[in-house]
Amino acid sequence: MEAAGPVPATVGSLPVMPRAAFFSDMDDTFLATDKSLVALNMEALDALGCRGLPFVPCTGRAWAAVPRELLVHPAVRYVVGANGAVVRDVRRGETVREASLDPACVRALLGRLGGVDCSFDLFTPEGVLSERARYERLGAYIDDAPSLGTVRASRHPQDLTTEQLIAGHPHIQKLTLYWKDESDRRAIREAVEMDGALGLTTSHPKNWEVMAAGVSKGSGLAFVCGLLGVGESAAVAFGDSPNDIPMLTRAGDGVAVANATAETRGAARHVTSSNDEGGVGRYILDLLGRWT
């Protein structure tokens, strides 16, 4: 579908660039399937920077795992990481929002998952930590090489048990659990849903992601809009997976890439071309062309 987005005002007969903000998921949305940066998307990012319009990476990754080319780009000041649990001001080098899980809830969840074959990755201010034995099992859970490479590169395997890691890190922002079999998938979901303090989403066919209840990319978008002084109705957001849906539905214009899941496309107002075709950049450049 063609781009819509915020409607420009007019002064006399001349259009005025609307005050807008752009939010985008990273994996399989802004990034190509092989995790590379797409030239058309970077062209759009440069165009936003030239116009003083903010671009906000909004990802399930830890904020520091966003490609450096984006972290230092003039259009980027804020990064929403860990599915909304963290907002980082990359220009000032400080975290401006952090929503942590209750460690007691994390310990209880681990106990309920005693017989489940899954990873148990802890997103913390010190990095993404994994018990080494679980880290070495990642290849049994993730069957696509680009995702496996990214996940392995962003984890820090530890020679401690998961129980010890939880005890030593009281500020756990998110959990990611990759699973092997369908029975494991169901068991994880049931275990998480037993605790109303936990929220559940997914960004990959073989994972579950756990945050504090109420934390999502949508809450992260709302927080950053407040920092920017931009209404949520003036936000344009891009995504491909179920964890992007709260962001797409909260933004004034939620846009799914063509390779998005059916559920995500159904929640979006518009659909652009695929991630490998630079759908995010194409949509942004079309909008900018209509505004100028």
Side-chain angles (χ1 to χ4, degrees), residues 201-227:
T201 189
T202 180
S203 65
H204 184 275
K206 297 293 290 290
N207 84 6
W208 286 116
E209 301 183 356
V210 182
M211 297 80 61
V215 173
S216 69
K217 290 189 181 185
S219 66
L221 178 147
F223 184 84
V224 174
C225 282
L227 294 176

Side-chain angles (χ1 to χ4, degrees), residues 102-285:
D102 182 341
C105 294
V106 177
R107 285 192 296 271
L109 175 62
L110 180 65
R112 294 194 294 273
L113 295 174
V116 177
D117 187 1
C118 66
S119 69
F120 202 95
D121 303 325
L122 282 64
F123 284 60
T124 76
E126 295 74 36
V128 185
L129 309 178
S130 303
E131 179 181 343
R132 188 172 299 277
R134 292 180 185 269
Y135 175 86
E136 292 174 352
R137 286 280 295 157
L138 285 171
Y141 310 135
I142 306 171
D143 56 10
D144 65 287
S147 293
L148 179 59
T150 297
V151 170
R152 281 179 169 163
S154 65
R155 269 60 173 168
H156 303 287
Q158 306 289 304
D159 294 317
L160 297 169
T161 66
T162 303
E163 292 88 345
Q164 290 171 323
L165 291 174
I166 296 169
H169 295 86
H171 300 291
I172 299 171
Q173 302 151 350
K174 188 186 88 158
L175 306 171
T176 296
L177 294 82
Y178 284 91
W179 46 269
K180 190 172 191 305
D181 297 323
E182 181 64 20
S183 60
D184 300 317
R185 185 194 72 82
R186 292 194 301 269
I188 294 168
R189 179 167 193 161
E190 290 169 2
V192 172
E193 290 179 343
M194 288 176 65
D195 188 341
L198 303 178
L200 186 68
T201 189
T202 180
S203 65
H204 184 275
K206 297 293 290 290
N207 84 6
W208 286 116
E209 301 183 356
V210 182
M211 297 80 61
V215 173
S216 69
K217 290 189 181 185
S219 66
L221 178 147
F223 184 84
V224 174
C225 282
L227 294 176
L228 294 171
V230 174
E232 294 172 28
S233 62
V236 182
F238 301 88
D240 76 294
S241 295
N243 68 326
D244 298 317
I245 291 175
M247 173 177 65
L248 299 185
T249 55
R250 191 136 190 180
D253 189 13
V255 185
V257 285
N259 54 287
T261 67
E263 180 185 7
T264 307
R265 292 196 305 274
R269 291 187 62 190
H270 297 96
V271 177
T272 185
S273 45
S274 74
N275 63 320
D276 289 327
E277 297 170 307
V280 172
R282 191 180 307 276
Y283 196 92
I284 291 172
L285 290 170

Side-chain angles (χ1 to χ4, degrees), residues 2-3 16-17 25 34 43 47-48 60 62 75 157 167 169 192 198 200 216 235 267 278 283:
E2 62 183 19
V16 176
M17 185 76 69
D25 171 55
D34 65 4
E43 179 184 343
L48 292 177
H169 295 86
V192 172
L198 303 178
L200 186 68
S216 69
Y283 196 92

